Amino acid sequence: MTMIQWFIFFLIVQVIHFAGTWKLYIKAGRKSWEALIPVYNAIVLFKILKRPIWWIILLFIPIINLLMFPVIWVETVKSFGKYKTIDSVLAVLTLGFYIYYLNYIADVNYVEDRSLKSRTELGEWVSSIVFAIVAATIVHTYFMQPYTIPTSSLEKSLLVGDFLFVSKFHYGARTPMTVIAAPMVHDSLPLIKAKSYLNIPHLPYFRLPGFEKIKRNEIVVFNWPVDSVRFFRDISKIHVDKPIDKKSNYVKRCVGIPGDSLEIKEGYIYINGERTVLPDRALPQYKHKVITDGQQLSAALLKRYNVTEGGFFGDYYILNLTDENASKLKNNPLIKSITKQIAPEGNYESGIFPHNEQYPWSIDNYGPIYIPEAGKTVELNAKSLPFYKRIIEVYENNNLTTSGNEIFINGKLATSYTFKQDYYWMMGDNRHNSEDARYWGYVPFDHVVGKPVFIWFSWDTNGEGIANKIRWERVFTTVHGSGKPVSYLYYFLGALALWYAFSFFRKRNKAE
Protein backbone atom coordinates (compact mmCIF):
# COMPACT_ATOMS: atom_id res chain seq x y z
CA MET A 1 0.00 0.00 0.00
CA THR A 2 1.17 3.52 -0.78
CA MET A 3 1.29 6.30 1.82
CA ILE A 4 -1.85 7.85 0.28
CA GLN A 5 -3.68 4.54 0.53
CA TRP A 6 -2.61 4.21 4.14
CA PHE A 7 -3.79 7.75 4.89
CA ILE A 8 -7.21 6.95 3.41
CA PHE A 9 -7.32 3.71 5.42
CA PHE A 10 -6.42 5.65 8.58
CA LEU A 11 -9.28 8.12 7.97
CA ILE A 12 -11.73 5.25 7.43
CA VAL A 13 -10.70 3.74 10.77
CA GLN A 14 -11.34 7.10 12.45
CA VAL A 15 -14.83 7.29 10.96
CA ILE A 16 -15.60 3.71 12.07
CA HIS A 17 -14.37 4.54 15.57
CA PHE A 18 -16.49 7.70 15.76
CA ALA A 19 -19.62 5.98 14.48
CA GLY A 20 -19.32 3.23 17.07
CA THR A 21 -18.34 5.22 20.17
CA TRP A 22 -19.61 8.84 20.10
CA LYS A 23 -22.57 8.12 22.41
CA LEU A 24 -20.28 6.26 24.80
CA TYR A 25 -17.98 9.28 24.93
CA ILE A 26 -21.00 11.37 26.00
CA LYS A 27 -22.01 8.86 28.67
CA ALA A 28 -18.45 9.06 30.01
CA GLY A 29 -18.81 12.84 30.40
CA ARG A 30 -16.93 13.81 27.25
CA LYS A 31 -18.00 15.58 24.05
CA SER A 32 -19.14 13.58 20.99
CA TRP A 33 -16.72 15.39 18.67
CA GLU A 34 -13.77 14.13 20.77
CA ALA A 35 -14.39 10.67 19.29
CA LEU A 36 -13.66 12.00 15.78
CA ILE A 37 -10.32 13.82 16.09
CA PRO A 38 -7.44 11.45 15.17
CA VAL A 39 -4.93 10.74 17.95
CA TYR A 40 -6.79 13.05 20.33
CA ASN A 41 -9.70 10.59 20.37
CA ALA A 42 -7.29 7.86 21.52
CA ILE A 43 -5.97 10.08 24.32
CA VAL A 44 -9.53 10.75 25.52
CA LEU A 45 -10.45 7.07 25.20
CA PHE A 46 -7.55 5.99 27.40
CA LYS A 47 -8.68 8.54 30.00
CA ILE A 48 -12.16 7.02 29.84
CA LEU A 49 -10.70 3.54 30.22
CA LYS A 50 -8.41 4.78 33.01
CA ARG A 51 -5.40 3.40 31.20
CA PRO A 52 -1.99 5.10 30.68
CA ILE A 53 -1.88 7.72 27.92
CA TRP A 54 1.41 6.25 26.64
CA TRP A 55 -0.56 3.23 25.40
CA ILE A 56 -1.30 5.37 22.36
CA ILE A 57 2.25 4.73 21.19
CA LEU A 58 1.49 1.02 20.98
CA LEU A 59 -1.36 1.73 18.55
CA PHE A 60 1.10 3.03 15.98
CA ILE A 61 3.61 0.18 16.17
CA PRO A 62 2.86 -2.43 13.47
CA ILE A 63 2.04 -5.90 14.82
CA ILE A 64 1.83 -4.49 18.36
CA ASN A 65 -1.29 -2.54 17.42
CA LEU A 66 -2.98 -5.77 16.34
CA LEU A 67 -2.48 -7.10 19.85
CA MET A 68 -3.67 -3.86 21.44
CA PHE A 69 -6.97 -3.54 19.55
CA PRO A 70 -8.62 -6.54 21.26
CA VAL A 71 -7.36 -5.25 24.61
CA ILE A 72 -9.01 -1.88 23.98
CA TRP A 73 -12.26 -3.49 22.84
CA VAL A 74 -12.46 -5.57 26.01
CA GLU A 75 -11.52 -2.61 28.21
CA THR A 76 -14.24 -0.52 26.55
CA VAL A 77 -17.07 -2.98 27.18
CA LYS A 78 -15.93 -3.40 30.79
CA SER A 79 -15.88 0.38 31.28
CA PHE A 80 -19.59 0.39 30.49
CA GLY A 81 -20.57 -2.40 32.85
CA LYS A 82 -20.19 -5.46 30.63
CA TYR A 83 -18.04 -7.70 32.81
CA LYS A 84 -19.27 -11.11 31.69
CA THR A 85 -16.95 -13.39 29.73
CA ILE A 86 -19.46 -13.53 26.87
CA ASP A 87 -19.23 -9.75 26.45
CA SER A 88 -15.44 -9.87 26.15
CA VAL A 89 -15.66 -12.79 23.71
CA LEU A 90 -18.21 -10.96 21.55
CA ALA A 91 -16.07 -7.83 21.55
CA VAL A 92 -13.12 -9.79 20.16
CA LEU A 93 -15.00 -12.10 17.76
CA THR A 94 -16.88 -9.18 16.16
CA LEU A 95 -13.60 -7.26 15.73
CA GLY A 96 -14.90 -4.55 18.04
CA PHE A 97 -18.27 -4.07 16.35
CA TYR A 98 -20.02 -5.35 19.48
CA ILE A 99 -19.31 -1.86 20.78
CA TYR A 100 -21.83 -0.56 18.17
CA TYR A 101 -24.48 -2.56 20.03
CA LEU A 102 -23.52 -0.83 23.27
CA ASN A 103 -23.45 2.55 21.56
CA TYR A 104 -26.86 2.39 19.90
CA ILE A 105 -29.02 -0.34 21.47
CA ALA A 106 -27.93 -1.51 24.92
CA ASP A 107 -28.80 0.53 27.98
CA VAL A 108 -25.34 0.97 29.50
CA ASN A 109 -23.78 3.45 31.88
CA TYR A 110 -20.19 4.49 32.36
CA VAL A 111 -18.55 2.91 35.43
CA GLU A 112 -16.68 5.81 36.96
CA ASP A 113 -14.91 3.88 39.69
CA ARG A 114 -14.20 0.66 37.78
CA SER A 115 -11.51 -1.53 39.32
CA LEU A 116 -8.71 -2.29 36.89
CA LYS A 117 -8.09 -5.61 38.57
CA SER A 118 -9.67 -8.59 36.83
CA ARG A 119 -12.65 -10.12 38.64
CA THR A 120 -11.60 -13.70 37.84
CA GLU A 121 -8.35 -15.63 38.08
CA LEU A 122 -8.70 -16.57 34.39
CA GLY A 123 -9.03 -12.93 33.43
CA GLU A 124 -5.92 -12.09 35.41
CA TRP A 125 -4.00 -14.83 33.60
CA VAL A 126 -5.22 -13.65 30.18
CA SER A 127 -4.28 -10.06 30.95
CA SER A 128 -0.80 -11.06 32.09
CA ILE A 129 -0.22 -13.25 29.05
CA VAL A 130 -1.38 -10.55 26.61
CA PHE A 131 0.96 -7.93 28.01
CA ALA A 132 3.82 -10.41 28.22
CA ILE A 133 3.32 -11.09 24.50
CA VAL A 134 3.21 -7.34 23.76
CA ALA A 135 6.47 -6.73 25.65
CA ALA A 136 8.18 -9.74 24.06
CA THR A 137 7.05 -8.70 20.58
CA ILE A 138 8.46 -5.19 21.06
CA VAL A 139 11.83 -6.63 22.13
CA HIS A 140 11.77 -9.23 19.33
CA THR A 141 10.88 -6.70 16.64
CA TYR A 142 12.91 -3.65 17.58
CA PHE A 143 15.76 -4.69 19.86
CA MET A 144 16.90 -8.32 19.97
CA GLN A 145 15.72 -11.42 18.10
CA PRO A 146 16.61 -15.05 18.87
CA TYR A 147 17.93 -17.02 15.92
CA THR A 148 19.13 -20.60 15.43
CA ILE A 149 21.90 -21.66 13.04
CA PRO A 150 20.31 -24.30 10.77
CA THR A 151 23.15 -25.00 8.29
CA SER A 152 26.93 -25.28 8.22
CA SER A 153 27.61 -22.40 5.82
CA LEU A 154 29.58 -20.55 8.54
CA GLU A 155 31.13 -23.72 9.95
CA LYS A 156 33.89 -23.11 12.50
CA SER A 157 32.62 -19.55 13.16
CA LEU A 158 28.97 -20.46 13.80
CA LEU A 159 27.94 -24.09 14.20
CA VAL A 160 24.70 -25.89 13.47
CA GLY A 161 22.78 -25.76 16.74
CA ASP A 162 24.11 -22.38 17.92
CA PHE A 163 21.37 -20.23 19.42
CA LEU A 164 22.02 -16.53 18.82
CA PHE A 165 20.75 -13.16 19.89
CA VAL A 166 20.57 -10.89 16.83
CA SER A 167 20.71 -7.15 17.46
CA LYS A 168 18.16 -5.10 15.54
CA PHE A 169 19.48 -1.73 16.70
CA HIS A 170 23.10 -1.93 15.47
CA TYR A 171 22.12 -1.34 11.83
CA GLY A 172 18.75 0.21 12.71
CA ALA A 173 15.57 -1.74 13.43
CA ARG A 174 13.42 -2.29 10.37
CA THR A 175 9.76 -1.66 11.13
CA PRO A 176 7.44 -4.51 10.10
CA MET A 177 6.07 -4.28 6.58
CA THR A 178 3.62 -7.14 6.99
CA VAL A 179 0.75 -5.70 9.02
CA ILE A 180 -1.31 -8.78 9.82
CA ALA A 181 0.88 -11.57 11.15
CA ALA A 182 1.17 -13.92 14.11
CA PRO A 183 3.49 -12.42 16.74
CA MET A 184 6.99 -13.82 17.34
CA VAL A 185 6.92 -16.37 14.52
CA HIS A 186 8.37 -15.93 11.06
CA ASP A 187 6.82 -17.09 7.79
CA SER A 188 4.91 -20.14 9.07
CA LEU A 189 3.03 -21.30 12.13
CA PRO A 190 4.74 -23.99 14.23
CA LEU A 191 3.76 -27.62 13.64
CA ILE A 192 1.06 -26.99 11.00
CA LYS A 193 3.44 -24.97 8.76
CA ALA A 194 0.60 -22.77 7.52
CA LYS A 195 1.32 -19.20 6.45
CA SER A 196 1.64 -16.94 9.50
CA TYR A 197 0.76 -13.69 7.72
CA LEU A 198 -1.42 -11.96 5.14
CA ASN A 199 0.24 -10.25 2.17
CA ILE A 200 -2.11 -7.29 2.38
CA PRO A 201 -2.34 -4.68 3.73
CA HIS A 202 1.36 -3.87 3.54
CA LEU A 203 3.43 -1.02 4.96
CA PRO A 204 6.24 0.69 3.01
CA TYR A 205 9.85 0.01 4.02
CA PHE A 206 11.18 2.10 6.89
CA ARG A 207 14.23 1.66 9.12
CA LEU A 208 15.06 3.42 12.37
CA PRO A 209 18.50 5.06 12.61
CA GLY A 210 21.28 2.60 13.44
CA PHE A 211 24.42 2.96 15.54
CA GLU A 212 26.78 1.66 12.88
CA LYS A 213 27.05 0.58 9.26
CA ILE A 214 27.73 -2.95 8.10
CA LYS A 215 31.48 -3.49 8.07
CA ARG A 216 33.37 -5.72 5.68
CA ASN A 217 33.69 -9.32 6.98
CA GLU A 218 31.03 -8.91 9.67
CA ILE A 219 28.48 -11.69 10.08
CA VAL A 220 24.99 -10.46 9.16
CA VAL A 221 21.46 -11.88 9.34
CA PHE A 222 19.27 -10.96 6.38
CA ASN A 223 16.21 -12.05 4.44
CA TRP A 224 17.10 -14.33 1.53
CA PRO A 225 16.45 -12.06 -1.49
CA VAL A 226 15.30 -14.77 -3.93
CA ASP A 227 13.18 -16.70 -1.43
CA SER A 228 10.03 -18.18 -2.97
CA VAL A 229 9.41 -21.20 -0.70
CA ARG A 230 6.62 -21.44 1.85
CA PHE A 231 9.07 -21.96 4.70
CA PHE A 232 12.74 -22.83 5.21
CA ARG A 233 13.66 -26.23 3.69
CA ASP A 234 10.22 -26.74 2.18
CA ILE A 235 10.61 -29.48 -0.46
CA SER A 236 7.17 -29.09 -2.01
CA LYS A 237 8.50 -26.58 -4.60
CA ILE A 238 5.29 -24.58 -4.27
CA HIS A 239 6.08 -21.02 -5.40
CA VAL A 240 5.15 -18.27 -2.95
CA ASP A 241 5.62 -14.53 -3.39
CA LYS A 242 6.67 -13.38 0.06
CA PRO A 243 6.96 -9.90 1.60
CA ILE A 244 10.54 -8.85 2.35
CA ASP A 245 10.22 -9.25 6.11
CA LYS A 246 8.76 -12.76 5.75
CA LYS A 247 11.47 -14.15 3.48
CA SER A 248 13.65 -16.84 5.05
CA ASN A 249 16.33 -15.63 7.45
CA TYR A 250 19.89 -16.33 6.31
CA VAL A 251 23.20 -15.67 8.09
CA LYS A 252 26.44 -15.13 6.15
CA ARG A 253 29.62 -13.12 6.28
CA CYS A 254 29.49 -9.77 4.47
CA VAL A 255 32.67 -10.02 2.40
CA GLY A 256 31.86 -7.07 0.13
CA ILE A 257 30.27 -3.71 0.98
CA PRO A 258 28.80 -0.99 -1.28
CA GLY A 259 31.34 0.40 -3.74
CA ASP A 260 33.69 -2.59 -3.56
CA SER A 261 35.06 -4.47 -6.55
CA LEU A 262 35.06 -8.17 -5.67
CA GLU A 263 36.85 -11.08 -7.31
CA ILE A 264 37.46 -14.70 -6.29
CA LYS A 265 40.71 -16.36 -7.43
CA GLU A 266 41.37 -20.01 -6.65
CA GLY A 267 38.86 -19.81 -3.81
CA TYR A 268 40.30 -16.66 -2.19
CA ILE A 269 38.44 -13.35 -2.09
CA TYR A 270 40.02 -10.18 -3.44
CA ILE A 271 38.55 -6.76 -2.67
CA ASN A 272 39.60 -3.82 -4.82
CA GLY A 273 42.51 -5.89 -6.13
CA GLU A 274 43.86 -7.01 -2.75
CA ARG A 275 43.36 -10.38 -1.09
CA THR A 276 41.00 -9.89 1.81
CA VAL A 277 42.20 -10.46 5.35
CA LEU A 278 39.53 -12.26 7.36
CA PRO A 279 39.13 -11.99 11.17
CA ASP A 280 41.09 -14.63 13.05
CA ARG A 281 37.84 -16.34 14.09
CA ALA A 282 36.89 -16.84 10.43
CA LEU A 283 38.16 -20.22 9.26
CA PRO A 284 37.18 -20.77 5.62
CA GLN A 285 37.21 -24.38 4.53
CA TYR A 286 37.11 -26.17 1.17
CA LYS A 287 36.49 -29.65 -0.13
CA HIS A 288 39.65 -31.75 -0.42
CA LYS A 289 40.15 -35.09 -2.11
CA VAL A 290 42.09 -37.25 0.34
CA ILE A 291 43.75 -40.52 -0.74
CA THR A 292 45.09 -42.77 2.00
CA ASP A 293 47.51 -45.70 1.94
CA GLY A 294 44.49 -48.00 1.96
CA GLN A 295 43.50 -47.58 5.56
CA GLN A 296 40.31 -45.85 6.58
CA LEU A 297 40.50 -42.73 8.71
CA SER A 298 39.13 -43.16 12.24
CA ALA A 299 36.60 -40.84 13.83
CA ALA A 300 39.24 -39.84 16.40
CA LEU A 301 41.70 -38.85 13.66
CA LEU A 302 39.07 -36.81 11.81
CA LYS A 303 38.16 -35.07 15.07
CA ARG A 304 41.85 -34.25 15.62
CA TYR A 305 41.84 -32.26 12.36
CA ASN A 306 38.45 -30.70 13.15
CA VAL A 307 36.66 -32.43 10.27
CA THR A 308 32.89 -32.04 10.60
CA GLU A 309 31.82 -32.69 7.01
CA GLY A 310 32.83 -35.20 4.39
CA GLY A 311 32.53 -38.82 3.32
CA PHE A 312 34.27 -41.93 2.00
CA PHE A 313 33.82 -42.81 -1.67
CA GLY A 314 35.32 -46.26 -2.06
CA ASP A 315 38.98 -45.45 -2.52
CA TYR A 316 39.19 -41.81 -1.48
CA TYR A 317 37.67 -39.26 0.92
CA ILE A 318 36.10 -35.87 0.24
CA LEU A 319 36.64 -33.81 3.37
CA ASN A 320 35.92 -30.16 4.18
CA LEU A 321 39.15 -28.76 5.62
CA THR A 322 40.71 -25.42 6.38
CA ASP A 323 44.04 -24.74 4.68
CA GLU A 324 45.80 -25.17 8.01
CA ASN A 325 44.21 -28.51 8.83
CA ALA A 326 44.73 -29.75 5.27
CA SER A 327 48.44 -28.98 5.62
CA LYS A 328 48.62 -30.82 8.95
CA LEU A 329 46.68 -33.83 7.68
CA LYS A 330 48.97 -34.05 4.65
CA ASN A 331 51.87 -34.87 6.99
CA ASN A 332 50.06 -37.81 8.52
CA PRO A 333 51.72 -41.10 7.46
CA LEU A 334 48.34 -42.56 6.46
CA ILE A 335 47.87 -39.92 3.74
CA LYS A 336 49.21 -40.37 0.21
CA SER A 337 47.83 -37.10 -1.23
CA ILE A 338 45.46 -34.21 -0.58
CA THR A 339 44.06 -32.09 -3.40
CA LYS A 340 41.89 -29.02 -2.91
CA GLN A 341 38.86 -29.29 -5.21
CA ILE A 342 38.96 -25.89 -6.91
CA ALA A 343 36.34 -25.30 -9.61
CA PRO A 344 38.05 -23.76 -12.68
CA GLU A 345 36.79 -20.80 -14.65
CA GLY A 346 35.65 -21.22 -18.24
CA ASN A 347 32.67 -23.58 -18.12
CA TYR A 348 29.32 -21.80 -18.00
CA GLU A 349 27.13 -22.87 -15.08
CA SER A 350 23.55 -21.62 -15.20
CA GLY A 351 23.30 -21.64 -11.40
CA ILE A 352 26.11 -19.10 -10.96
CA PHE A 353 25.17 -15.41 -10.78
CA PRO A 354 24.58 -13.49 -13.04
CA HIS A 355 23.27 -16.59 -14.87
CA ASN A 356 24.48 -15.40 -18.24
CA GLU A 357 26.69 -17.16 -20.80
CA GLN A 358 28.87 -14.05 -21.12
CA TYR A 359 30.24 -14.92 -17.68
CA PRO A 360 31.50 -18.56 -17.48
CA TRP A 361 32.55 -18.26 -13.84
CA SER A 362 32.71 -20.81 -11.03
CA ILE A 363 32.34 -20.60 -7.25
CA ASP A 364 36.15 -20.54 -6.88
CA ASN A 365 37.08 -18.32 -9.82
CA TYR A 366 34.58 -15.51 -10.04
CA GLY A 367 34.34 -11.89 -11.11
CA PRO A 368 35.35 -9.17 -10.90
CA ILE A 369 32.01 -7.56 -10.09
CA TYR A 370 30.96 -4.17 -8.74
CA ILE A 371 28.84 -4.05 -5.57
CA PRO A 372 26.28 -1.26 -6.02
CA GLU A 373 26.26 1.78 -3.75
CA ALA A 374 23.29 4.10 -3.19
CA GLY A 375 23.53 7.21 -5.37
CA LYS A 376 26.18 5.77 -7.69
CA THR A 377 25.51 5.48 -11.42
CA VAL A 378 26.52 2.62 -13.74
CA GLU A 379 26.40 2.29 -17.49
CA LEU A 380 23.65 0.05 -18.83
CA ASN A 381 24.21 -2.15 -21.83
CA ALA A 382 23.90 -5.79 -22.85
CA LYS A 383 27.08 -6.66 -20.94
CA SER A 384 26.20 -5.01 -17.63
CA LEU A 385 22.43 -5.59 -17.58
CA PRO A 386 22.61 -9.21 -16.28
CA PHE A 387 24.16 -7.90 -13.03
CA TYR A 388 21.59 -5.18 -12.39
CA LYS A 389 18.38 -6.46 -13.99
CA ARG A 390 16.93 -7.87 -10.77
CA ILE A 391 17.99 -4.80 -8.82
CA ILE A 392 16.18 -2.48 -11.23
CA GLU A 393 13.06 -4.60 -11.61
CA VAL A 394 12.54 -6.28 -8.23
CA TYR A 395 14.52 -4.54 -5.50
CA GLU A 396 13.92 -0.99 -6.75
CA ASN A 397 10.49 -1.53 -8.36
CA ASN A 398 10.96 -0.33 -11.92
CA ASN A 399 9.45 -1.57 -15.17
CA LEU A 400 12.35 -2.76 -17.34
CA THR A 401 12.03 -3.87 -20.96
CA THR A 402 14.49 -4.43 -23.80
CA SER A 403 14.22 -4.06 -27.55
CA GLY A 404 17.28 -5.33 -29.38
CA ASN A 405 20.23 -3.59 -27.71
CA GLU A 406 18.05 -0.82 -26.28
CA ILE A 407 17.01 -0.80 -22.61
CA PHE A 408 13.89 0.97 -21.37
CA ILE A 409 13.16 1.78 -17.72
CA ASN A 410 9.61 2.87 -16.97
CA GLY A 411 9.09 3.43 -20.68
CA LYS A 412 12.14 5.68 -21.18
CA LEU A 413 15.34 4.79 -23.03
CA ALA A 414 18.10 4.22 -20.45
CA THR A 415 21.86 4.09 -20.96
CA SER A 416 22.67 4.34 -17.25
CA TYR A 417 21.12 3.65 -13.88
CA THR A 418 21.50 5.26 -10.43
CA PHE A 419 21.02 2.95 -7.45
CA LYS A 420 18.49 3.86 -4.77
CA GLN A 421 19.97 1.80 -1.93
CA ASP A 422 23.13 -0.01 -0.85
CA TYR A 423 23.89 -3.64 -1.69
CA TYR A 424 26.11 -6.25 -0.06
CA TRP A 425 27.88 -9.48 -1.00
CA MET A 426 27.23 -12.26 1.51
CA MET A 427 29.17 -15.54 1.55
CA GLY A 428 29.64 -18.49 3.86
CA ASP A 429 33.01 -19.51 5.31
CA ASN A 430 32.23 -23.08 4.29
CA ARG A 431 33.10 -22.20 0.70
CA HIS A 432 32.00 -25.45 -0.95
CA ASN A 433 28.87 -25.95 1.13
CA SER A 434 27.19 -22.58 1.23
CA GLU A 435 24.28 -21.26 -0.79
CA ASP A 436 25.26 -17.63 -0.98
CA ALA A 437 25.71 -14.57 -3.21
CA ARG A 438 27.68 -16.56 -5.78
CA TYR A 439 24.39 -18.23 -6.68
CA TRP A 440 21.81 -15.45 -6.25
CA GLY A 441 23.68 -12.16 -6.24
CA TYR A 442 23.39 -8.99 -4.22
CA VAL A 443 21.60 -8.45 -0.88
CA PRO A 444 19.73 -5.10 -0.68
CA PHE A 445 19.99 -3.14 2.55
CA ASP A 446 16.22 -3.28 3.00
CA HIS A 447 16.62 -7.07 3.39
CA VAL A 448 19.10 -6.74 6.29
CA VAL A 449 17.67 -8.02 9.61
CA GLY A 450 20.47 -7.40 12.09
CA LYS A 451 23.83 -8.26 13.58
CA PRO A 452 24.34 -11.48 15.56
CA VAL A 453 26.11 -10.54 18.77
CA PHE A 454 25.82 -13.37 21.29
CA ILE A 455 25.61 -17.17 21.46
CA TRP A 456 23.44 -17.93 24.50
CA PHE A 457 23.26 -21.69 23.94
CA SER A 458 24.76 -24.34 21.66
CA TRP A 459 23.43 -27.84 21.01
CA ASP A 460 25.40 -30.53 19.18
CA THR A 461 22.91 -32.87 17.50
CA ASN A 462 25.68 -35.43 16.97
CA GLY A 463 26.65 -35.63 20.62
CA GLU A 464 25.76 -38.61 22.79
CA GLY A 465 23.85 -37.85 25.98
CA ILE A 466 22.63 -34.44 27.11
CA ALA A 467 25.94 -33.50 28.74
CA ASN A 468 27.84 -34.12 25.49
CA LYS A 469 25.21 -32.47 23.33
CA ILE A 470 25.63 -29.11 25.06
CA ARG A 471 28.72 -27.29 23.78
CA TRP A 472 29.52 -25.68 27.11
CA GLU A 473 32.54 -23.83 25.74
CA ARG A 474 30.25 -21.92 23.32
CA VAL A 475 27.51 -20.98 25.79
CA PHE A 476 27.48 -17.22 26.53
CA THR A 477 30.18 -16.34 23.99
CA THR A 478 30.31 -13.37 21.61
CA VAL A 479 29.96 -13.80 17.85
CA HIS A 480 32.41 -11.12 16.75
CA GLY A 481 35.78 -10.18 18.19
CA SER A 482 39.28 -11.60 17.95
CA GLY A 483 41.01 -14.46 19.69
CA LYS A 484 39.46 -17.63 21.00
CA PRO A 485 35.85 -17.08 22.13
CA VAL A 486 35.51 -16.85 25.90
CA SER A 487 32.40 -18.15 27.68
CA TYR A 488 30.83 -15.67 30.11
CA LEU A 489 28.47 -18.29 31.56
CA TYR A 490 30.18 -18.50 34.94
CA TYR A 491 30.34 -14.71 35.21
CA PHE A 492 26.59 -14.58 34.51
CA LEU A 493 25.83 -17.31 37.05
CA GLY A 494 28.00 -15.55 39.62
CA ALA A 495 26.23 -12.24 39.06
CA LEU A 496 22.87 -14.03 39.29
CA ALA A 497 23.85 -15.64 42.59
CA LEU A 498 24.95 -12.27 44.01
CA TRP A 499 21.66 -10.70 42.96
CA TYR A 500 19.61 -13.44 44.62
CA ALA A 501 21.72 -13.13 47.78
CA PHE A 502 21.26 -9.35 47.80
CA SER A 503 17.48 -9.72 47.31
CA PHE A 504 17.24 -12.33 50.06
CA PHE A 505 19.06 -10.23 52.68
CA ARG A 506 17.19 -7.07 51.69
CA LYS A 507 13.82 -8.80 52.17
CA ARG A 508 14.96 -10.25 55.49
CA ASN A 509 16.11 -6.85 56.74
CA LYS A 510 12.76 -5.31 55.77
CA ALA A 511 10.93 -8.09 57.58
CA GLU A 512 12.90 -7.40 60.74
Side-chain angles (χ1 to χ4, degrees):
M1 294 176 71
T2 64
M3 292 303 296
I4 294 176
Q5 290 172 326
W6 268 108
F7 180 70
I8 294 172
F9 175 75
F10 177 74
L11 292 180
I12 292 173
V13 170
Q14 301 306 310
V15 172
I16 293 173
H17 173 76
F18 172 76
T21 60
W22 65 275
K23 283 189 175 183
L24 299 180
Y25 273 65
I26 294 174
K27 290 183 178 182
R30 309 296 304 200
K31 303 295 184 182
S32 61
W33 59 265
E34 291 181 303
L36 184 61
I37 309 301
V39 182
Y40 177 70
N41 56 11
I43 294 174
V44 173
L45 179 62
F46 287 136
K47 288 182 178 179
I48 292 172
L49 303 182
K50 295 187 171 15
R51 291 298 185 179
I53 300 299
W54 62 262
W55 275 22
I56 192 173
I57 299 172
L58 303 179
L59 295 178
F60 291 91
I61 302 177
I63 305 300
I64 303 300
N65 52 14
L66 295 181
L67 300 173
M68 290 301 300
F69 287 147
V71 172
I72 293 171
W73 298 334
V74 171
E75 289 287 312
T76 300
V77 300
K78 287 182 177 180
S79 294
F80 290 89
K82 296 295 184 178
Y83 291 104
K84 294 182 179 179
T85 302
I86 185 63
D87 295 304
S88 297
V89 171
L90 286 172
V92 175
L93 292 182
T94 62
L95 301 181
F97 283 98
Y98 178 64
I99 296 172
Y100 273 67
Y101 166 75
L102 305 184
N103 193 58
Y104 291 106
I105 300 175
D107 183 17
V108 297
N109 293 302
Y110 177 59
V111 183
E112 180 72 33
D113 56 348
R114 178 175 74 95
S115 173
L116 298 182
K117 187 175 181 180
S118 178
R119 296 190 174 191
T120 65
E121 187 175 346
L122 176 61
E124 193 69 30
W125 271 97
V126 171
S127 178
S128 299
I129 290 171
V130 167
F131 283 100
I133 292 174
V134 169
T137 302
I138 291 174
V139 172
H140 181 276
T141 305
Y142 296 96
F143 296 96
M144 199 73 69
Q145 176 183 346
Y147 182 84
T148 307
I149 298 297
T151 70
S152 62
S153 77
L154 282 170
E155 185 69 24
K156 304 297 184 287
S157 296
L158 294 178
L159 307 181
V160 175
D162 280 349
F163 291 77
L164 312 176
F165 282 136
V166 176
S167 164
K168 298 293 188 71
F169 55 84
H170 274 79
Y171 307 138
R174 185 183 61 190
T175 58
M177 290 171 272
T178 306
V179 175
I180 302 177
M184 293 187 295
V185 297
H186 194 51
D187 55 352
S188 59
L189 297 172
L191 301 178
I192 62 175
K193 296 297 183 181
K195 224 168 70 166
S196 65
Y197 60 93
L198 297 180
N199 288 70
I200 55 175
H202 201 256
L203 287 171
Y205 166 74
F206 179 76
R207 188 182 292 272
L208 299 174
F211 293 99
E212 61 181 47
K213 292 186 176 181
I214 298 175
K215 300 181 184 69
R216 194 181 295 119
N217 294 324
E218 279 187 334
I219 296 174
V220 178
V221 174
F222 57 93
N223 296 114
W224 184 28
V226 296
D227 185 17
S228 62
V229 298
R230 293 181 303 166
F231 49 84
F232 188 69
R233 284 180 171 163
D234 179 28
I235 61 174
S236 67
K237 297 184 179 179
I238 296 175
H239 182 91
V240 177
D241 291 321
K242 301 166 78 170
I244 291 173
D245 57 339
K246 292 302 177 183
K247 293 181 179 181
S248 298
N249 288 324
Y250 268 36
V251 58
K252 308 288 180 187
R253 191 177 300 279
C254 178
V255 297
I257 61 175
D260 280 348
S261 174
L262 178 142
E263 189 173 6
I264 304 174
K265 301 177 182 178
E266 299 299 307
Y268 300 110
I269 297 170
Y270 289 76
I271 299 295
N272 303 323
E274 296 185 7
R275 181 169 163 177
T276 193
V277 178
L278 293 170
D280 57 5
R281 290 190 186 179
L283 301 172
Q285 58 181 25
Y286 308 84
K287 286 183 179 178
H288 290 73
K289 183 177 181 179
V290 180
I291 300 176
T292 71
D293 61 359
Q295 298 185 57
Q296 291 196 13
L297 304 179
S298 66
L301 186 143
L302 294 176
K303 186 176 181 180
R304 187 194 312 167
Y305 297 101
N306 205 9
V307 177
T308 53
E309 292 181 335
F312 184 58
F313 296 89
D315 54 357
Y316 64 91
Y317 286 85
I318 295 293
L319 304 178
N320 273 11
L321 295 162
T322 64
D323 287 346
E324 181 181 3
N325 284 328
S327 179
K328 290 179 180 178
L329 181 59
K330 190 175 183 178
N331 295 326
N332 190 290
L334 298 178
I335 305 303
K336 290 180 64 177
S337 67
I338 293 183
T339 308
K340 185 187 287 189
Q341 302 297 285
I342 295 296
E345 184 181 6
N347 296 320
Y348 170 65
E349 296 181 39
S350 60
I352 300 295
F353 182 82
H355 317 294
N356 189 283
E357 293 181 357
Q358 298 179 82
Y359 302 98
W361 299 340
S362 73
I363 58 173
D364 295 314
N365 286 280
Y366 188 96
I369 61 165
Y370 169 71
I371 302 174
E373 182 178 3
K376 293 298 176 68
T377 301
V378 293
E379 183 180 354
L380 280 187
N381 50 47
K383 191 171 180 64
S384 65
L385 185 61
F387 293 101
Y388 311 124
K389 187 175 187 294
R390 184 173 178 84
I391 288 177
I392 297 169
E393 283 187 313
V394 180
Y395 304 147
E396 302 195 353
N397 300 308
N398 295 288
N399 179 34
L400 186 149
T401 58
T402 59
S403 178
N405 290 325
E406 293 183 323
I407 301 169
F408 295 86
I409 298 178
N410 300 324
K412 296 181 180 180
L413 181 65
T415 57
S416 64
Y417 183 77
T418 302
F419 301 104
K420 298 176 184 177
Q421 63 175 317
D422 287 332
Y423 292 83
Y424 300 84
W425 196 261
M426 309 288 189
M427 285 177 58
D429 294 346
N430 199 354
R431 294 287 194 254
H432 291 160
N433 192 15
S434 173
E435 186 177 8
D436 53 36
R438 293 169 293 178
Y439 298 94
W440 34 258
Y442 308 106
V443 174
F445 185 54
D446 63 9
H447 283 58
V448 170
V449 173
K451 178 178 181 176
V453 293
F454 197 68
I455 300 171
W456 62 271
F457 188 69
S458 187
W459 182 261
D460 184 1
T461 56
N462 296 319
E464 296 180 2
I466 293 178
N468 291 328
K469 283 180 176 291
I470 299 175
R471 303 185 185 104
W472 293 104
E473 74 282 358
R474 297 185 65 80
V475 175
F476 276 56
T477 60
T478 56
V479 173
H480 294 91
S482 59
K484 186 177 180 180
V486 176
S487 174
Y488 294 94
L489 176 61
Y490 296 113
Y491 296 96
F492 171 77
L493 294 176
L496 197 63
L498 289 173
W499 170 254
Y500 274 112
F502 171 75
S503 299
F504 172 78
F505 286 111
R506 185 176 63 173
K507 288 180 181 178
R508 192 175 72 173
N509 290 336
K510 283 185 178 181
E512 293 174 352

